[in-house]
Amino acid sequence: MSDKDGKKTLGLGGGRSGQVKQSFSHGRTKNVVVETKRKRVVVPKPGATPAAGTTKPAPAGTDPSRRPAGISDSEMERRLKALQAAKAREAEDAERRAAEEREREAERERRRAEAEAKEREDREREEALKAKAEEDARRTQPAAAKPAAKAEAKVEEVDQAAAQAAAARAEAKGVSTVGPRKTDRERDDSRDRDRGGRAVREEGRRSGKLTLSEALSGEGGRQRSLAAMKRKQERARQKALGQSVRAEKQVREVQLPDTIIVSELANRMAERAADVVKALMKMGMMVNMNQTIDADTAELIIEEFGHKAVRVSDADVEQVIDMVEDRPEDLRPRPPIITIMGHVDHGKTSLLDAIRKTNVVAGEAGGITQHIGAYQVTTESGAVLTFLDTPGHAAFTSMRARGAQVTDIVVLVVAADDAVMPQTVEAINHAKAAGVPMIVAINKCDKPEADPQKVRTDLLQHEVVVEKMSGDVQDVEVSAITGKGLDELLEAIALQAEILELKANPNRPAMGAVIEAKLDVGRGPVATVLVRNGTLKQGDIFVVGEQWGKVRALINDRGERVQEAGPSVPVEVLGISGTPEAGDTLNVVETEAQAREIADYRQQVAKDKRAAAGAAATLEQLMAKAKADENVVELPIVVKADVQGSAEAIVQAMEKIGNDEVRVRVLHYGVGAITESDIGLAEASHAPVIGFNVRANAQARNAANQKGVEIRYYSVIYDLVDDVRAAASGLLSAEVRENFIGYAEIKEVFKVSGVGKVAGCLVTEGVARRSAGVRLLRDNVVVHEGTLKTLKRFKDEVKEVQSGQECGMAFENYDDIRKGDVIEIFEREEVERSLA
């Protein structure tokens, strides 16, 4: 607030008690004025000398007569303290303003020094260019003196323009290169005048940025930037010196995917989109900037604009997988991988049990191997061997093929009492296709009916010549029961491994093959992986087929938890996002993002392949497929198995069941227990659910009972295939067979009222029955086929007439019978069919 004299006052109290005001004059406190309703008391500044003619007042507490009415000692003291605090704040503000002023002055000094230094550098650069131009002019011939003088004049003009521009820059920054230095007030005034009027001191010189008020008022406009002015000076200098001012085109490498939008292509080439659209229209493509073009067209456009095209595709995401060759000095010896192959029930697992001193056979359903197993064995000599045990049943072809692909040595087990069988031949073909050496183990030599020589002879038919037949394939006679020949077999394996010189690099990211995969209730997806190269460690991030994951745990073949697995070591891997396919390759990558990206790409590719395989290419193909399916009866089933390989084998066996009239259709197959969703799918398709070594959970069992869905459990693949084949056979229509039972010749035709024409016949062969079917033959041509309306012997209706007897016959709904026609009598019977 202010008093009547225009002085500022500070109110410290109010109301009825009074009002304290502080009077300021030129920034200094003079007196404290206390106004009340009764009188006005002036309290001098503490510590100040009273003015002449005044008496120093006594303290408020000592002289109650001088204190304003209604103000106590404490109130007076509080007001005085508030006054002192206000003075202290004022002093602090003054000191802060002084410090800020000093900082601004220092900043102005710094800017002034920078401007002077920049101006000095520009002047030195101009002098150097001028000296160079003069030197070039002196070197020219006398005939070129006139052009040189002209060029020198132009250089001087450019130098003069540059000097003027530098002076203008320095003046705009508040620095004068000529004359006395301006004071701060003069620089502030000059800056204010430049801001308000935007005065332009030199033509073509940028005066400042375009503001909203200038744009609306229509005065001035956006001037050329300082960089544009420099480029103009540089072009003028080059032109004066006779140099070319043509800008060089920058050639870019443009990454080109399978398809690209026109605007994106223009951005990658740093060209105008309109120019790209124009070039496309010249090529006959009427497109706009938002449309997509193929890679070949885009490559032509890129070459036309003078750039280089670099083809990329979605498959490049898999390039992060390390596929480099290992250096020879990094390779270390690794254990050999031996695959046991042969026909079913030839003793493969028993032979491996004898080597491992275990009893795996006792735990197998039906005494046959239906899974592929991986084991590591340490022999008495200290050698480490990795064995793969493959099934011998005909349905497990894919398992045997996978075993042959990942192995180093194939041990072909042939029973001495059974010789070469179909799966033995298949195993030989797998080994030859994989290009791996083979060792023949002739098992069951302890039996009395064993004939090893017959086995060697039978192998010759399949181009397998053993050493005892002057060949190069090792053969060993063994017995899994007595242990005969096991040491010789291990020695033969060690010799073959030594010849192969198997090596791997353990100090690199792991790469392995999935031998088997399953869905465990407590552990989730589990894959049995055979490490081929590198070392798989706990915590590694990997991608396997369409799945990815992080190694949560590693479990060896003895059920022990390990921290890492080196080359040729089989382990169970936990921590996969889903159940991979048996035979997929496992690769360790650096980051989780890379693994996820590769898995997503592979899933999309697989999805596209399935969509392309299920779609008909043309309308004619679609109609032909629909017509072919009209006469085919399908038996839908849902299959759940314990491991991925068994599910794959069952599906392949189901595809082989059927013919042109009936076939088995697998709606869904997977690994793990039978769930409620499987029951829902089976109910919608009226299909049974087949469980192979798995069981349904409680919810699935209840749902199956409520919806009437049949669940069948199997542990041996023989029984499963036989039952499905029998069920499919029941869908076949019965075969109708005709049995000819007799012939009759018409001797005369009679007309009988109420009956019509009746043929008087003589049964010439067989027997004529009332219930049988008949055909009317005229000149050995069938003119009618039907049934009999009546069959009479004399006047009696009879069921049959024997050969050589006469009878009367009338046809149902047919009267065109003639003398001399022959009646063929036959019976039809339905025969149940079955699938072979």
Side-chain angles (χ1 to χ4, degrees):
M1 61 183 70
S2 348
D3 56 7
K4 293 181 180 180
D5 299 333
K7 299 178 180 180
K8 296 181 180 179
T9 59
L10 176 65
L12 302 178
R16 297 181 178 179
S17 301
Q19 187 175 10
V20 179
K21 297 182 179 181
Q22 183 176 0
S23 178
F24 298 95
S25 177
H26 301 289
R28 296 183 180 181
T29 304
K30 292 177 63 179
N31 298 316
V32 177
V33 181
V34 182
E35 292 182 355
T36 64
K37 291 183 179 180
R38 299 178 181 176
K39 57 184 177 179
R40 185 171 184 267
V41 180
V42 178
V43 181
K45 179 181 177 181
T49 305
T54 62
T55 305
K56 181 178 181 181
T62 58
D63 192 358
S65 61
R66 292 180 179 274
R67 186 187 313 144
I71 299 178
S72 62
D73 294 344
S74 59
E75 179 66 20
M76 194 66 184
E77 184 177 358
R78 185 183 66 78
R79 294 182 181 183
L80 291 175
K81 288 182 179 179
L83 178 61
Q84 293 175 357
K87 292 178 180 179
R89 282 196 298 273
E90 181 186 5
E92 291 176 359
D93 292 343
E95 184 177 355
R96 185 173 64 255
R97 285 194 297 271
E100 291 176 355
E101 183 64 27
R102 287 194 296 272
E103 290 178 359
R104 283 194 295 271
E105 182 65 26
E107 181 67 18
R108 284 194 290 268
E109 289 293 336
R110 186 182 63 80
R111 291 180 180 176
R112 187 183 303 113
E114 289 179 357
E116 291 176 353
K118 189 172 183 180
E119 182 183 0
R120 187 165 50 254
E121 291 177 1
D122 293 342
R123 190 164 51 250
E124 291 175 357
R125 190 185 306 111
E126 297 296 339
E127 291 177 356
L129 291 173
K130 184 177 179 181
K132 185 177 179 181
E134 292 176 354
E135 182 67 23
D136 294 340
R138 283 196 299 270
R139 289 178 181 178
T140 56
Q141 296 179 359
K146 188 174 182 179
K150 186 176 181 180
E152 186 176 357
K154 289 185 177 181
V155 170
E156 290 177 357
E157 291 178 1
V158 172
D159 294 339
Q160 186 177 1
Q164 291 177 357
R169 285 198 302 271
E171 188 174 358
K173 293 181 180 179
V175 181
S176 177
T177 56
V178 182
R181 181 177 296 174
K182 292 183 180 180
T183 62
D184 294 343
R185 183 177 295 275
E186 289 173 347
R187 281 196 300 271
D188 292 341
D189 294 342
S190 175
R191 192 181 300 111
D192 291 340
R193 285 195 303 272
D194 290 342
R195 289 199 191 99
R198 301 294 179 183
V200 181
R201 293 182 175 84
E202 181 182 354
E203 183 178 357
R205 173 67 182 165
R206 181 183 180 186
S207 60
K209 294 182 179 179
L210 179 65
T211 62
L212 183 61
S213 60
E214 290 179 353
L216 295 176
S217 62
E219 298 178 358
R222 190 169 183 85
Q223 304 297 323
R224 301 186 67 181
S225 65
L226 183 60
M229 293 295 295
K230 288 183 177 179
R231 288 194 296 270
K232 183 179 179 181
Q233 293 175 6
E234 183 66 24
R235 286 194 298 269
R237 184 181 300 108
Q238 291 179 356
K239 187 176 181 180
L241 297 175
Q243 298 178 2
S244 175
V245 296
R246 193 173 190 179
E248 218 179 288
K249 184 177 179 64
Q250 185 176 0
V251 179
R252 291 178 170 82
E253 290 187 354
V254 182
Q255 290 190 350
L256 185 59
D258 296 334
T259 59
I260 189 171
I261 300 174
V262 176
S263 58
E264 177 64 20
L265 177 62
N267 290 336
R268 295 187 181 187
M269 293 191 300
E271 305 284 351
R272 294 174 64 245
D275 295 339
V276 178
V277 172
K278 184 178 179 181
L280 286 168
M281 288 184 176
K282 288 181 179 179
M283 296 171 59
M285 296 184 64
M286 298 299 151
V287 297
N288 57 32
M289 61 185 296
N290 296 321
Q291 288 182 319
T292 303
I293 58 176
D294 61 293
D296 295 333
T297 306
E299 187 172 2
L300 294 176
I301 294 296
I302 292 171
E303 292 176 355
E304 184 175 345
F305 279 87
H307 301 289
K308 295 180 180 179
V310 180
R311 288 289 189 105
V312 296
S313 65
D314 295 337
D316 293 342
V317 298
E318 296 192 3
Q319 292 182 355
V320 298
I321 298 176
D322 188 13
M323 300 298 292
V324 297
E325 294 292 333
D326 296 317
R327 294 181 298 178
E329 57 268 20
D330 295 334
L331 299 179
R332 299 290 182 271
R334 66 170 178 86
I337 302 172
I338 303 101
T339 300
I340 308 292
M341 303 180 73
H343 192 71
V344 62
D345 202 26
H346 275 203
K348 299 181 296 298
T349 306
S350 300
L351 182 62
L352 189 55
D353 282 342
I355 296 174
R356 298 176 60 225
K357 296 180 175 59
T358 58
N359 190 12
V360 175
V361 175
E364 293 182 331
I368 63 171
T369 301
Q370 300 177 109
H371 306 89
I372 187 168
Y375 313 98
Q376 200 161 37
V377 179
T378 303
T379 62
E380 295 179 356
S381 61
V384 179
L385 307 176
T386 301
F387 284 96
L388 296 182
D389 186 15
T390 61
H393 189 266
F396 297 97
T397 301
S398 298
M399 284 191 186
R400 288 189 290 273
R402 285 196 298 273
Q405 291 296 326
V406 300
T407 190
D408 299 316
I409 302 170
V410 169
V411 174
L412 182 65
V413 179
V414 186
D417 60 342
D418 205 11
V420 176
M421 299 298 287
Q423 270 61 58
T424 308
V425 178
E426 184 186 286
I428 294 172
N429 295 333
H430 284 316
K432 289 182 178 179
V436 293
M438 187 188 311
I439 298 175
V440 178
I442 305 175
N443 197 14
K444 301 185 181 181
C445 289
D446 56 316
K447 288 190 173 184
E449 61 272 19
D451 188 0
Q453 191 62 31
K454 183 178 183 302
V455 174
R456 298 186 182 98
T457 306
D458 291 348
L459 289 174
L460 293 174
Q461 302 176 10
H462 306 285
E463 300 178 358
V464 177
V465 185
V466 299
E467 289 181 344
K468 291 188 178 180
M469 304 287 290
S470 302
D472 56 354
V473 178
Q474 299 184 73
D475 65 308
V476 182
E477 296 181 7
V478 296
S479 173
I481 303 299
T482 63
K484 172 189 173 183
L486 295 182
D487 294 337
E488 289 82 355
L489 178 61
L490 294 177
E491 184 179 349
I493 293 173
L495 176 62
Q496 189 66 56
E498 186 177 352
I499 294 173
L500 294 176
E501 295 183 356
L502 303 172
K503 293 183 178 181
N505 180 13
N507 301 317
R508 57 160 287 171
M511 180 187 70
V514 177
I515 302 300
E516 195 57 272
K518 62 182 178 180
L519 184 63
D520 194 282
V521 177
R523 301 183 296 173
V526 180
T528 302
V529 176
L530 180 63
V531 181
R532 302 296 307 278
N533 204 356
T535 301
L536 184 62
K537 303 176 182 177
Q538 186 171 345
D540 282 348
I541 298 170
F542 61 88
V543 58
V544 50
E546 300 175 21
Q547 311 298 332
W548 68 278
K550 184 176 182 180
V551 179
R552 198 173 68 214
L554 296 173
I555 301 173
N556 62 12
D557 59 314
R558 293 181 294 276
E560 302 170 350
R561 197 159 181 167
V562 295
Q563 295 297 319
E564 61 181 29
S568 302
V569 177
V571 287
E572 284 188 344
V573 179
L574 279 68
I576 314 175
S577 60
T579 307
E581 297 288 337
D584 287 343
T585 301
L586 181 143
N587 294 98
V588 173
V589 296
E590 294 181 358
T591 63
E592 182 178 324
Q594 292 176 348
R596 193 188 300 270
E597 187 178 10
I598 295 172
D600 291 343
Y601 165 72
R602 291 178 177 177
Q603 289 175 2
Q604 185 62 37
V605 170
K607 182 178 178 182
D608 294 342
K609 286 183 178 179
R610 288 193 294 268
T618 62
L619 182 61
E620 289 77 7
Q621 292 180 0
L622 183 62
M623 296 300 293
K625 185 176 183 298
K627 187 176 180 180
D629 292 343
E630 285 180 359
N631 300 323
V632 178
V633 181
E634 290 185 342
L635 173 63
I637 60 172
V638 176
V639 177
K640 295 299 286 290
D642 53 345
V643 296
Q644 188 73 34
S646 296
E648 184 184 49
I650 292 171
V651 171
Q652 291 175 355
M654 295 299 102
E655 290 175 352
K656 297 176 182 177
I657 297 176
N659 53 20
D660 295 338
E661 298 180 28
V662 64
R663 66 188 176 197
V664 179
R665 180 185 176 195
V666 180
L667 298 175
H668 169 70
Y669 74 95
V671 295
I674 299 172
T675 61
E676 197 171 355
S677 61
D678 299 326
I679 302 299
L681 176 61
E683 182 205 11
S685 305
H686 304 286
V689 180
I690 294 176
F692 185 75
N693 287 330
V694 294
R695 293 294 181 267
N697 55 32
Q699 294 86 353
R701 288 196 299 271
N702 295 334
N705 293 333
Q706 293 174 3
K707 299 175 181 179
V709 176
E710 182 184 9
I711 301 177
R712 292 192 177 189
Y713 300 113
Y714 298 93
S715 58
V716 179
I717 198 170
Y718 295 129
D719 301 335
L720 189 154
V721 174
D722 292 343
D723 285 0
V724 173
R725 181 180 285 111
S729 300
L731 297 177
L732 289 172
S733 58
E735 182 181 356
V736 179
R737 294 181 182 177
E738 291 183 354
N739 296 324
F740 298 97
I741 59 176
Y743 288 93
E745 183 181 353
I746 299 176
K747 296 295 185 180
E748 194 61 58
V749 178
F750 306 96
K751 289 185 178 180
V752 180
S753 60
V755 178
K757 290 184 178 182
V758 177
C761 304
L762 172 65
V763 179
T764 59
E765 183 180 344
V767 63
R769 289 194 178 98
R770 168 73 177 79
S771 60
V774 292
R775 292 190 184 94
L776 183 62
L777 305 180
R778 186 173 295 159
D779 297 331
N780 292 325
V781 177
V782 178
V783 295
H784 173 69
E785 180 178 342
T787 58
L788 290 175
K789 182 167 59 175
T790 180
L791 176 62
K792 289 187 177 184
R793 170 80 174 154
F794 298 108
K795 292 184 180 181
D796 300 328
E797 187 78 24
V798 294
K799 290 184 178 181
E800 66 179 28
V801 178
Q802 297 296 327
S803 175
Q805 297 179 352
E806 293 180 349
C807 63
M809 296 183 187
F811 290 88
E812 190 79 39
N813 300 326
Y814 190 76
D815 286 338
D816 185 17
I817 54 177
R818 301 175 186 177
K819 182 180 177 180
D821 290 347
V822 177
I823 299 174
E824 184 181 70
I825 304 132
F826 63 90
E827 286 183 342
R828 288 188 176 95
E829 65 173 348
E830 293 185 352
V831 180
E832 294 293 334
R833 300 165 60 195
S834 62
L835 294 171

